[in-house]
Amino acid sequence: MPNRVLRNAATTTTPKGPSEPANEPPCDVNDLPRTRKGWLTVRRTFEESAYDGSYVTLVKSYLDSRSKDPKRSRPKDMWYVVLKGKVMYLYEDEGMTDCEVAVELGGHDVVIYPEGLLDGELFTRRNAICLRPRSKSAEKSVPSVSGEQSEKADGDQARKQEQDEKSKELAQEEAFVAPWFIFVRSCVDMEDWYLALVHASDRPSGTPTLSPLKPVFLPSEMNYLVATLDEQPDVIPMRWFNALLGRVFYSFYRTQMLESYIISRLMKKLSKVKRPAFLVDVAVTQFSVGNKAPTFSKPMLKELTKEGDASLEVGLLYKGEIRATVEATAMINLGAHFKSYNVKLVMAVVLREIEGNLLVKVKRPPSSRIWYAFTKPPRMVVNVEPIVSDRQITWSMILNTIETKIEEIVSGHLK
């Protein structure tokens, strides 16, 4: 887990021996915590509140969406979040004129919810960053108060005001116990927000982000790599790499182990992707990577810093036939006057070509992941071919919908 890396690094025994070359001057490291800002979905429950389908609510939401007032047109639970020091502020607009809530992170534990996930499943859109209040931390989360205070009254009004204040205090105490759930649209940004919140929660304000990681990561040694990298000849041709990749590919491409692994990964991906309502019980039964290996070209180092940030771009080209056999049930509904019926489908999703520019990025510690994505939508040749069904399937609507959904999945992995 990433939070284990960040919190346990300080207790790791420092290896013996010189930590940096004697003849290398100390390097200036830019690792002070930055103020993070962005539009995020923040609410007190993991599941979205039930939608009120009444006519009044429908009209109100329609008018709010068309309103020129940014406070009314703002989506529900969407806040402009600012993380500064050890406090997270929630604003209604980017002008930051009215702070709705200020959360002191020193009184919260930062985890990924749901808990118990594998490391590779942490940063997805379906998961949330959870701020769980620690014990006796109610006084550390302070909702902002705006507007004019009401004048004090005597007699019955004073007693009523005292009762109202007590009820508000009780409501606030209950609110303090409830956790905060933060949803980030981008998986890459979700990791950045999570690590920043963990650092703000566990460390004093102003602590450098790399300071807790000195036992396991030294910027001076990373700086040595940056300084000596250009001394090596720049070998642009990728012939050696493509040969090695192809040789490894032909060692596994027909094995049952590779097919089972890819099918399991695809099924896990399908369980998280919203599919068309008329397709149910979708399952991948067979998978073939074809007999052609992908090739890479035109590598370019985009970034390499002493703090540990590294990224490169490389061209990806595949021409072959990656084939996945998919079984599904289509629910056909032609309207209220006709009876709906189900159609069993067995289809082959075939990827014949894909070409695009791939960005590979390794962020500075404590991030422990390799992120990769296309810089723009790649050129793809994808076909969905019906193999067999209860009836002859020639409806372009179903096939085109599936092809479009595949392109959306790939487009979701763009930088």
Side-chain angles (χ1 to χ4, degrees):
M1 299 286 287
N3 52 346
R4 294 178 186 168
V5 174
L6 185 63
R7 291 167 179 160
N8 296 344
T11 61
T12 307
T13 304
T14 306
K16 297 181 179 180
S19 59
E20 57 183 85
N23 58 349
E24 184 179 342
C27 58
D28 296 329
V29 181
N30 181 20
D31 64 339
L32 292 177
R34 299 182 296 107
T35 300
R36 298 195 64 86
K37 303 177 182 179
W39 286 99
L40 305 177
T41 300
V42 184
R43 55 176 180 256
R44 305 309 294 266
T45 59
F46 180 71
E47 298 291 343
E48 193 172 2
S49 58
Y51 175 73
D52 183 5
S54 64
Y55 178 76
V56 176
T57 304
L58 185 63
V59 173
K60 183 178 182 300
S61 61
Y62 175 76
L63 294 177
D64 288 345
S65 63
R66 296 176 61 88
S67 174
K68 295 183 179 180
D69 185 358
K71 294 184 179 181
R72 293 184 58 188
S73 60
R74 175 173 58 90
K76 183 181 179 183
D77 298 330
M78 183 70 73
W79 301 91
Y80 189 69
V81 181
V82 177
L83 175 59
K84 187 175 182 180
K86 295 181 68 67
V87 182
M88 183 182 73
Y89 303 92
L90 303 186
Y91 296 95
E92 292 185 345
D93 52 45
E94 297 183 8
M96 298 183 290
T97 55
D98 187 10
C99 179
E100 185 71 18
V101 176
V103 181
E104 211 285 326
L105 295 172
H108 293 76
D109 290 321
V110 184
V111 297
I112 297 294
Y113 191 89
E115 299 183 58
L117 299 172
L118 298 177
D119 189 77
E121 301 175 346
L122 293 176
F123 302 111
T124 64
R125 296 179 183 178
R126 287 175 172 260
N127 300 338
I129 303 172
C130 177
L131 305 182
R132 181 183 298 147
R134 296 170 183 166
S135 58
K136 300 181 181 180
S137 64
E139 68 277 7
K140 295 186 179 181
S141 293
V142 185
S144 66
V145 179
S146 58
E148 298 180 357
Q149 296 182 351
S150 59
E151 298 180 356
K152 294 184 178 179
D154 298 328
D156 295 338
Q157 291 184 354
R159 285 192 295 270
K160 183 179 180 181
Q161 183 179 4
E162 184 178 355
Q163 292 177 355
D164 292 341
E165 290 178 355
K166 288 182 179 180
S167 62
K168 289 181 180 179
E169 291 178 359
L170 292 175
Q172 288 181 357
E173 290 180 1
E174 293 179 357
F176 290 139
V177 177
W180 293 92
F181 293 94
I182 305 171
F183 295 85
V184 187
R185 182 174 180 80
S186 169
C187 302
V188 180
D189 292 341
M190 182 179 180
E191 185 193 34
D192 294 336
W193 276 100
Y194 170 76
L195 295 177
L197 290 169
V198 169
H199 185 80
S201 174
D202 292 348
R203 307 294 174 183
S205 179
T207 302
T209 56
L210 297 179
S211 178
L213 301 169
K214 285 183 178 179
V216 294
F217 179 82
L218 289 175
S220 59
E221 296 179 349
M222 187 68 195
N223 190 44
Y224 178 78
L225 172 64
V226 176
T228 59
L229 189 65
D230 291 336
E231 297 177 1
Q232 304 297 324
D234 190 10
V235 185
I236 294 296
M238 294 288 288
R239 186 166 178 262
W240 66 271
F241 181 80
N242 290 326
L244 179 61
L245 178 65
R247 178 62 187 88
V248 174
F249 171 80
Y250 288 118
S251 297
F252 293 95
Y253 74 121
R254 291 182 180 271
T255 61
Q256 182 65 38
M257 178 186 66
L258 179 62
E259 181 183 9
S260 301
Y261 172 77
I262 295 177
I263 290 177
S264 65
R265 296 289 297 179
L266 289 175
M267 290 302 298
K268 187 174 294 185
K269 185 71 176 178
L270 285 173
S271 65
K272 299 177 181 179
V273 173
K274 290 184 179 180
R275 52 179 178 261
F278 61 83
L279 285 180
V280 295
D281 299 331
V282 180
V284 180
T285 57
Q286 295 180 354
F287 191 91
S288 172
V289 295
N291 56 4
K292 300 288 194 310
T295 58
F296 295 89
S297 62
K298 300 178 181 178
M300 180 182 297
L301 180 63
K302 302 293 291 185
E303 181 185 24
L304 183 64
T305 67
K306 54 183 173 293
E307 290 82 16
D309 294 301
S311 63
L312 63 92
E313 287 188 16
V314 62
L316 169 66
L317 174 63
Y318 174 81
K319 289 185 178 182
E321 187 175 296
I322 297 178
R323 178 180 293 265
T325 302
V326 181
E327 294 184 1
T329 301
M331 296 177 55
I332 309 300
N333 188 358
L334 301 178
H337 301 288
F338 299 91
K339 183 179 179 180
S340 60
Y341 59 94
N342 297 337
V343 177
K344 285 286 186 181
L345 304 175
V346 180
M347 300 164 290
V349 181
V350 184
L351 173 64
R352 303 188 187 279
E353 291 184 26
I354 182 169
E355 182 179 8
N357 201 44
L358 199 64
L359 175 67
V360 183
K361 184 177 181 66
V362 179
K363 293 187 281 190
R364 66 179 62 186
S367 175
S368 59
R369 284 167 171 75
I370 298 178
W371 295 93
Y372 57 92
F374 288 101
T375 56
K376 60 182 180 180
R379 182 183 65 84
M380 293 192 305
V381 178
V382 182
N383 302 114
V384 180
E385 304 171 352
I387 297 177
V388 65
S389 63
D390 292 344
R391 305 183 182 193
Q392 182 62 35
I393 298 300
T394 57
W395 301 316
S396 60
M397 179 191 69
I398 296 178
L399 302 182
N400 292 340
T401 300
I402 298 174
E403 291 181 9
T404 303
K405 205 64 183 177
I406 294 173
E407 294 177 356
E408 289 179 1
I409 294 175
V410 176
S411 299
H413 293 77
L414 298 179
K415 176 60 179 176

